[in-house]
């Protein structure tokens, strides 16, 4: 993050006073976006849920990051869900991270389900749903481990 922040300061100093050149206007817009992203990253790091980890592979592209959600309770406990995320200008990255995290934590609501079939299973047999969730997570973990071994 410091790389981008220092780059922004250096670019502002090199650019000097404003001109009416259209190319400099588009450069300035990108610069404003980058400045906002630096602030969003700071806010994100200060408010990151304990079930999330964020990695920025390229410190010059803060709108692109890798998010890992590791639920610490509920049906998805023990799972590890990884996302490669590119946040468009219209969205706040903090809201995106909290939204993805919520899918595995507080949005798990069987009274108003996103997945009606899972909610029906929950009503019929909570134990069976829990066992199936554990089996699915284990199978997905094995498949991912196998795939990553094959890639190397």
């Amino acid at each position: 993050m410091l790389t981008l922040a220092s780059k922004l300061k250096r670019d502002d100093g090199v650019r000097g006073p404003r001109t009416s050149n259209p190319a400099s206007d588009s450069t300035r817009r990108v610069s404003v976006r980058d400045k906002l992203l630096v602030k969003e990253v700071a806010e994100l790091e200060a408010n990151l849920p304990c079930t999330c980890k964020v990695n920025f592979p390229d410190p010059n592209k803060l709108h692109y990051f890798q998010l890992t959600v590791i639920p610490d309770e509920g049906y998805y406990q023990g799972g590890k869900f990884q996302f490669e995320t590119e946040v468009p200008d219209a969205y706040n990255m903090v809201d995106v991270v909290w939204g993805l995290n919520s899918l595995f934590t507080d949005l798990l609501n069987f009274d108003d389900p996103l997945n009606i079939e899972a909610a029906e299973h929950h009503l019929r047999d909570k134990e069976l749903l829990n066992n199936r969730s554990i089996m699915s997570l284990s199978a997905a973990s094995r498949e991912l481990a196998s795939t990553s071994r094959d890639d190397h």
Side-chain angles (χ1 to χ4, degrees):
M1 275 43 81
L2 296 176
T3 304
L4 182 59
S6 59
K7 178 183 180 298
L8 291 172
K9 287 179 184 175
R10 186 180 67 240
D11 288 351
D12 282 347
V14 168
R15 225 178 273 129
R18 291 185 185 181
T19 65
S20 61
N21 182 351
S24 73
D25 287 345
S26 89
T27 304
R28 189 168 38 256
R29 266 187 253 124
V30 170
S31 177
V32 168
R33 168 77 168 140
D34 289 343
K35 289 177 184 179
L36 290 173
L37 284 171
V38 169
K39 289 180 182 178
E40 285 184 28
V41 168
E43 180 185 351
L44 176 63
E45 289 175 342
N47 298 301
L48 191 65
C50 63
T51 54
C52 294
K53 294 179 183 175
V54 177
N55 177 44
F56 295 92
D58 184 345
N60 292 310
K61 294 181 180 178
L62 295 179
H63 65 284
Y64 173 77
F65 58 93
Q66 297 163 337
L67 172 68
T68 303
V69 178
I70 305 170
D72 57 3
E73 62 184 355
Y75 287 103
Y76 299 111
Q77 181 178 4
K80 183 176 182 179
F81 304 91
Q82 297 176 316
F83 302 92
E84 289 191 16
T85 309
E86 187 168 344
V87 180
D89 292 352
Y91 289 88
N92 178 310
M93 72 172 52
V94 175
D95 294 339
V96 170
V97 168
W98 277 89
L100 287 170
N101 182 61
S102 293
L103 289 174
F104 302 98
T105 56
D106 56 324
L107 279 182
L108 191 59
N109 178 354
F110 291 106
D111 295 327
D112 184 19
L114 295 173
N115 182 335
I116 295 171
E117 187 178 337
E120 289 170 352
H121 281 281
H122 179 262
L123 290 173
R124 282 194 309 267
D125 191 344
K126 292 177 187 177
E127 185 69 25
L128 177 62
L129 179 64
N130 188 42
N131 290 339
R132 285 186 178 172
S133 297
I134 291 169
M135 288 178 6
S136 294
L137 290 173
S138 296
S141 294
R142 284 192 304 275
E143 185 177 323
L144 285 172
S146 171
T147 303
S148 71
R149 278 194 303 271
D150 294 343
D151 291 343
H152 289 66

